[in-house]
Amino acid sequence: MVAVQQGKVLVTGANGFIAMWVVKQLLDQGYVVRGTVRSESKAKHLRDVFSHYGDKFEVVIVEDITKLGAFDEYVKDVDAIEHTASPFHFKANDPDELIVPAVQGTTRILESALAHGKNVKRVVITSSVAAVIVVQSTPRTYTEADWNDGAIQLVREEGAKAPNPMKYRASKTLAERAAWEFVEKNKGKLGWDLAVVNPPYVFGPAIHEVGAPETLNESMYDWFHTVFKGSKTKEQLSSTGACWIDVRDLAEAHVLAIKKQEAGGERIIVSQGAFKWQDFISSAQRFYPTVSPGDETYDPAKATHMVQYDTSKAAKLLGIKYRSIEESTKDMVEDFKARGWI
Ligand code: NDP
């Protein structure tokens, strides 16, 4: 399949934390972008932020991404699609609150691309390592061959009683599985191919609309409240963490996933590396000395990371370079200072 070096790109959920950076980088690299949002009230901020790109950027309203034909009108003249819209939070009681929009939203965009996207050559879906990991009691490095079917199983068995993070993980696994199954089922009929990007926790400065720390997206809510609001104990700071990527590097990965021919048909894990929360606290202290020091006995060299990712495929296919903890932390601190939150 021919990669997309120029032309028009549809970005779903364009007002989100990650999507805003995807839109920005696409525009900066010369693409014309159409973003979808759920309501007119979510369109204004996007129009304001990207006003200097003139007619290279437009916003359209797709009220319900689960509705049949929801995207039909908007895929007709685009060359590529970046599907990011999907709920990411740990507050759902009924797992279907997450699963239905995740799976049906994914299916609807692919159906529209198949039926009406005559110019579409590449569809990129923002999945997650939530669709990859099955946390074990010993440290492990995961690859693109791993699938979190355990979350699906658990949520099927326990329903609303399943732990909330598992409901989110099930939604991402089911949505990504649905995408690959759609491609398999329609083999021979598609004028495009699929690339899936699987990021871990995403941190970085925000350019989407956020009025207060309480309304930050899930990952940045956790970062802000851990670093500046003491939401974790000393013991948790040095013993818990995950893997992460800067939002701008992830946006770059989304652009590269439409630019690089070799990304077609691939599931690609992108990750800067593993962290303990104390790593971010120690770094934030350098840029904002009044941050509470956390666990001063922490030694990063002795930290055990239960989950790591083999990112060799991303290096080979996309060649992304990752920002360091210092660089991202500095920019997040600057962002929060400018907002008057710290
Ligand atoms: P945000 O919450 O900032 O953005 C989510 C986007 O999805 C928004 O545009 C939102 O629209 C839209 N959305 C949410 N629920 C629905 C729904 N029911 N119907 C239609 N649209 C919906 O989150 P992120 O930017 O962090 O997440 C974007 C994507 O990245 C998601 O697919 C998420 O799973 C994935 N991801 C995020 C990670 C992270 O750490 N942030 C890590 C790994 C993957 P609205 O504003 O109208 O609700």
Side-chain angles (χ1 to χ4, degrees), residues 12-19 38 42 63 65 84-88 97 101 126-129 168 172 199-203 208 217-219:
T12 68
N15 62 314
F17 168 54
I18 294 167
R38 285 205 274 184
K42 305 214 168 174
E63 270 174 34
I65 65 170
T84 83
S86 200
F88 176 22
E97 266 180 58
T126 315
S127 184
S128 168
V129 294
Y168 170 69
K172 295 303 283 184
Y201 247 147
V202 185
F203 302 134
H208 66 303
N217 62 294
E218 195 68 39
S219 54

Side-chain angles (χ1 to χ4, degrees), residues 307-322:
V307 174
Q308 309 232 42
Y309 298 102
D310 175 351
T311 53
S312 52
K313 199 201 256 193
K316 185 164 159 252
L317 297 183
L318 306 181
I320 13 170
K321 303 208 167 24
Y322 300 98

